[in-house]
Structures are given as C-alpha cells and as structure tokens.
Amino acid sequence: MTVIRSLKVLVLLAFIFGVMPAKGKEQPVVIPAVKNWMSYEGQLELSSPRIIVNKKYSEELLPVAKILGHELQLITGKELLVEKGGKNTGKGNIYLTMGDDDIATEGYELKIEKGVEVNASKAEGVYYGTRTLLQLMVQNPSVLPQGQIIDEPKYPVRSVLLDVARKFIPFEELKDWVIALSYFKINEIHLHLNDNSFGFYGAFRLEMKTIKGLTSTDGYYTQKEIRELQDFAKVRGITIVPEIDTPGHSRALTTARPDLAHPKLGGNYLDITKEETYRFVEKVLDEVVPLFDADHFHIGTDEYRLGSIKDEEEKKMLGEKFRQYINHFNKYIQAKGKTTRIWSGYEHMPGTTVPDKSVVIDMWETSDAVNKSKAGYQFINSTHFWTYIVPGAPYYGVDNKFLYNEWSPLQFSKKPEGILSPDDPGLLGAKLHVWNDKGPMGYTTNEIARLTMPTVMVLAEQVWGTKGANDYKSFTQFAKKVLPEGEDFEMIVRSRGQYDPENVMCGAVPGTSFLSRKAATKNAYVWQLDEPTHFIANVSHQLDNKSDNLEYPWTATFTVTRTKELTLRNATRPSGHEALMSSDLGTLFMDYNYEVRDKKTKAV
C-alpha cells in the first residue's frame, strides 16, 4: 500500500473514530501552504547533506537536483554533492525520486525522517517538492521538523501574464521571473509579445526572420533566447504560453505593413475586411508558433473598438467579421497542433457567430462564467476587477487583502452570473496580469517586479488551493519567513495604490537579483551637466552618472532648445517624440508628459 493510500485510510479512520491525524503544533511555513502535514516527534539535523537522485530517473531529476544544490549553497555557503544512487543512503541526505502514479501530476510527497525524501509521479512534482524544502531551509538551513507532507494543486492553470511588449523585460531578468514564480509553484508565464502604448508606440518583441521591419529595435528576444527560456522554465515547472495579439493592439504589425491598418479605426487596428490581412497574420504565426513548446497559443482578439464607426451597418459587418476572425485563426492554430486561447469581450461585438467550443477563454472583460460553463467552454479567471496590475496608472490595481480574505478563482464578478460553484465544469484556474500600459516611460522593470511579487504570493495560495493563514495580515507576517533578507530591498504591499506600513514583506527569492536596487545618496546629484552641450541629431551621448539605479523620489530637470526640426522617415512617429534620455530601465521622450493624480487627495 502506498503512502497516499495509507493517508486516505488514516483520514477515514480518524473520521470514524473522531480523531484527526497527528499534526504538529505549527504547520510548516510554506507559500503556498501545503495540503496535508503529519508531524513526527523530533527534528532532523542537516550538517553536510548530499543530494542523491534515483538513478532510474536521473535524466529527468539531475537538472532538478543541480538547481536545488546551487540554491542551498547560496543559503548555507556550503557546496552540496549531487550524485546518482539506487536508494536513499546515509543519514541526513536529500533523496529525489519519482514514478509513483498514485501521486497527482503536479503533486509530491515530502518525508523528513532520518533524511529527506521527495517523491512524485512526474519531474515537475519533484521540483515543486524541492520548492517546499527550499522554503523550509531558508528559515533554518540546518534543522528541519520531522514529518510528512502530501501536497497537490487544486487548479492546473496557475498563471502570471507579463506584458513585455509595452515594457521590455531584459532576457536575464525574465529568467529571474521564472525562478521567483516557480518558488511559489506558479506553473505558467503568459508572455504578451506585441502591443502599443500612448498612441504612437508599437512593439513586437520577437526576432522575425521572414518579415522585415516587424521586430522592435529597442528590445526583443532572439529565437535562440526563446529556446533557452523555455528550457530554463520547463525544468522549473513553468510553461511559457505566448500571445500574438491581433486584430487590435496591432500597431507594430501596421508599422511593418501600413496598408493593412483599418482606414477608419487607425494604426492600432488591422483591417479585417482585407484578405491580405489574414495572409499576413498567418505568415507571422507560421514563424512564431513553432518556436514554442506550449500546448496552448494565445491569439489575443480583445478590444477591437468600433466606436469611431458611425454607420450602423458597417459596424454590424465589422462585428460579425471579428467573430469570424476568431474561428478562422482558431482553425489555423489547431492545424499546427495547438489549443487556441482568446480574450473574452467578443460578446460585446455585433454579430451572431460564436467561438468554437475548442477555444480556451481568458475571461477578463465579461464575467458570465456560469453561462460559459453551461455552454461547455474551458476558461481561466482573468477578471479585470481584481487581477490587473497596471504600474503607474490611476486605474485598476489589486487589493491584496481582498484577494486573500474574500476572493477565490470561482469569483469573476460580484454578480450571480460571475460566481461559479465548486461543481461547475470548465474552470482551469486563474491568472495575475501585469499590464505595462505606460510603455517604455513607465515604471522600471525593477519597480514592476517589486510591486507585483506580493500579489504573486497571494495568488499562489488561492490557485494552489490551500491557505496557510486565517487572514491577510497574518499571511504577510509568515510570508516574510520564506524570503531571506535582501540587500537594500523593501517590498511594499500595496492596496489600491496605498502604502500600508503594517504589511511590508522584505527579502528576495534565492538565486535572483531582479528585486534588489542600489540607491543613490539622498539629496545628492547623480549627474549634472556643467556646460551647455550641442547634441547632433541621431547621435547619443553616454552619461557618466554616479548610480546605475535610482529609488523614488527623484527629479530630473532639463532645458532643451531645438535648433532644427527633424525629418522622420516613420510617419507614425511624429516630430517631437524623440528620445531625450534612455537606459535599459526606461526612456524619457522630448515632449511626452503624464500626470497621475490621487482621486482622494488630488495630489499629483
């Protein structure tokens, strides 16, 4: 009889005789909280453990073991030996094995007795077990409580969307996101690869070899990097789900092909009445789809706004065309062996065509989850009410306290049609969204990460399905224990944009640096131009500044006199939008300004 079956029998006997399985005085502090914990008497002391991999599964588990060894070396300062073996030998070792089909696909069993054993049916389950072990050892690298954990997720989709289109996240930082999200057992990164912001800026973040002029020059991922990223993520239990967003959000595409922009809707919209539009998008997908291993491919299909169309018949025609567009590209993606994902919102469009039941719907703008469930769709809770972070914008924003205390993936809105029962079919899971609407001038990538990570921890508990605290305030206290203290770093938990000094989590995920910042000395100049300088068009000057990163608040003051108008080749970018100052963190443009005012205080 397996351990899992033994646990089921033990629970049944406990129910019959009114006795619950033995549990420790304290549950292990892990995020997300573990599903089942049985405490034994005593503790396990780890002095110089070896990591032993079951040689039968060495191909799958050696990469997991090497990751764990590297992370534990960062924590303990000691190098851990990784070796193959037939069984767990020696007191105080860490043994990784798999092959138990009674354990759920992403589940795992973690036993802490004379040594540590992590067992699962699949490699990703073993990896998640090592995340639990790592979080325990972060708190005490030399002593572990003896006991048994049997754990598994409630939902198969535990996702975070990263809008790398409007705000490019450098490749190495993107790998830090993978490490950090996997630390909390998030299993998917939805990579939003093209979009537009503040009118003229459009970006496409993939290297394209078949279509010249589509790839953004201010930041993109090479096809080699996309391969490396997926391999890096896979061993950490994360799938990269790509999105090419059309026919709206398509300025990057219409910049490459101006003839395909809709004449009345503008450059953000492809003209879906033209056959050539379909052929062009198909050509894009022909190159992009094979780059990704994920079973799902997202084709966008949101916010194709028809407000500027005054003729009602034309509006009806476009609405029906849009609905048909979804099904056309669903078939196109299916023919490539993928499942199609789309955004909801088509329901607002005129027309009668409905998406095929084979599509997976990201439910954001519409929240009729009950009806979608009854109709036979599969869908993801992507509600814009509670899961949208837009750094620097006065709209949206998450309420971590509400998300932890009151929300669940079953709730898409407060209306009855937006609240599922646990027995309703179709729900795959939930997603946190990081939308960088403010574009390259918005928050730095570091600030975006620091703003987002507290909500990641909250979402992780909700989608894994087990909560470790009675309320959010208690959650923030034990959350600090799984994040070792970071250098010059304070992660602020925000509620609707308000700083709450009682809810501050400090630290960083082992093996990452994307949350840390170096601050300039207060009230000090980091750069000053002593003499006026004449800048020649299209020539940049490197600034010898005294800090490579700045904490808020900071002020930049320039006096700029244009002595000659520029003739720009790209008509979609009008004169006056020249870059004034830029770095890997962001870009300041010549005449672009944006103010955010607090609705309550009216302060800028």
Side-chain angles (χ1 to χ4, degrees), residues 6 11 27 69 84 276 333 338 400 411 425 512 578 597:
S6 299
V11 172
Q27 286 281 98
K84 292 182 280 187
E276 182 57 27
I333 294 297
K338 306 285 187 181
N400 290 318
Q411 188 172 355
T512 68
E578 298 87 5
R597 295 182 179 272

Side-chain angles (χ1 to χ4, degrees), residues 434-494:
V434 185
W435 293 111
N436 296 313
D437 290 16
K438 299 299 110 183
M441 285 185 61
Y443 275 30
T444 67
T445 54
N446 171 266
E447 291 157 349
I448 293 166
R450 284 154 40 96
L451 178 64
T452 303
M453 203 51 61
T455 312
V456 167
M457 290 186 272
V458 172
L459 181 87
E461 294 234 324
Q462 292 288 19
V463 291
W464 190 260
T466 308
K467 293 169 66 175
N470 292 326
D471 55 50
Y472 178 67
K473 186 174 183 180
S474 301
F475 174 73
T476 61
Q477 296 308 307
F478 80 71
K480 297 177 184 179
K481 297 180 181 179
V482 304
L483 292 172
E485 295 298 322
E487 180 183 356
D488 296 327
F489 167 60
E490 183 179 75
M491 185 154 51
I492 298 173
V493 176
R494 297 175 184 268

Side-chain angles (χ1 to χ4, degrees), residues 211 408 456:
I211 302 175
S408 87
V456 167

Side-chain angles (χ1 to χ4, degrees), residues 8-215:
K8 291 178 180 176
V9 172
L10 181 59
V11 172
L12 177 61
L13 290 173
F15 176 78
I16 294 173
F17 294 104
V19 179
M20 290 303 295
K23 293 193 175 184
K25 293 180 181 180
E26 293 184 1
Q27 286 281 98
V29 177
V30 177
I31 298 175
V34 301
K35 188 174 182 179
N36 294 295
W37 159 251
M38 290 191 295
S39 175
Y40 305 156
E41 293 296 328
Q43 295 178 319
L44 171 65
E45 293 187 6
L46 296 172
S47 55
S48 299
R50 291 177 296 153
I51 301 176
I52 303 173
V53 171
N54 186 335
K55 60 183 179 182
K56 183 179 179 181
Y57 305 107
S58 60
E59 183 178 352
E60 300 97 323
L61 296 184
L62 270 177
V64 176
K66 290 177 181 178
I67 291 170
L68 179 64
H70 171 68
E71 292 164 331
L72 292 182
Q73 183 177 356
L74 293 175
I75 295 171
T76 65
K78 301 176 182 178
E79 184 176 359
L80 277 71
L81 294 177
V82 176
E83 58 188 62
K84 292 182 280 187
K87 58 182 180 179
N88 190 1
T89 57
K91 184 179 179 181
N93 290 329
I94 299 169
Y95 181 61
L96 307 183
T97 187
M98 58 182 270
D100 190 339
D101 293 336
D102 285 335
I103 300 177
T105 300
E106 294 183 285
Y108 64 93
E109 175 196 9
L110 173 62
K111 289 193 294 187
I112 306 171
E113 298 175 314
K114 294 182 180 180
V116 177
E117 180 176 308
V118 182
N119 189 13
S121 62
K122 303 291 183 182
E124 56 261 46
V126 176
Y127 179 78
Y128 292 140
T130 65
R131 300 307 86 192
T132 295
L133 177 61
L134 181 62
Q135 290 188 20
L136 292 175
M137 293 186 70
V138 157
Q139 299 164 60
N140 191 332
S142 58
V143 178
L144 294 173
Q146 290 183 320
Q148 181 187 37
I149 292 171
I150 297 177
D151 201 10
E152 65 182 63
K154 186 173 183 178
Y155 296 103
V157 173
R158 307 181 301 280
S159 183
V160 173
L161 177 144
L162 294 179
D163 176 6
V164 299
R166 296 181 179 105
K167 183 72 176 185
F168 181 67
I169 297 177
F171 180 65
E172 292 301 322
E173 283 191 38
L174 201 53
K175 291 199 290 187
D176 273 6
W177 274 96
V178 170
I179 296 170
L181 294 180
S182 72
Y183 190 64
F184 302 110
K185 302 183 178 72
I186 297 297
N187 71 346
E188 177 183 291
I189 293 178
H190 175 166
L191 214 54
H192 186 74
L193 289 164
N194 71 290
D195 215 317
N196 22 264
S197 60
F198 52 84
F200 69 89
Y201 183 83
F204 191 96
R205 300 302 186 186
L206 282 178
E207 175 191 17
M208 294 294 289
K209 297 180 179 181
T210 61
I211 302 175
K212 302 298 183 182
L214 183 56
T215 301

Side-chain angles (χ1 to χ4, degrees), residues 543-557:
L543 302 183
D544 183 21
N545 56 311
K546 299 177 182 179
S547 178
D548 61 0
N549 212 333
L550 299 180
E551 287 283 3
Y552 283 137
W554 56 265
T555 300
T557 302

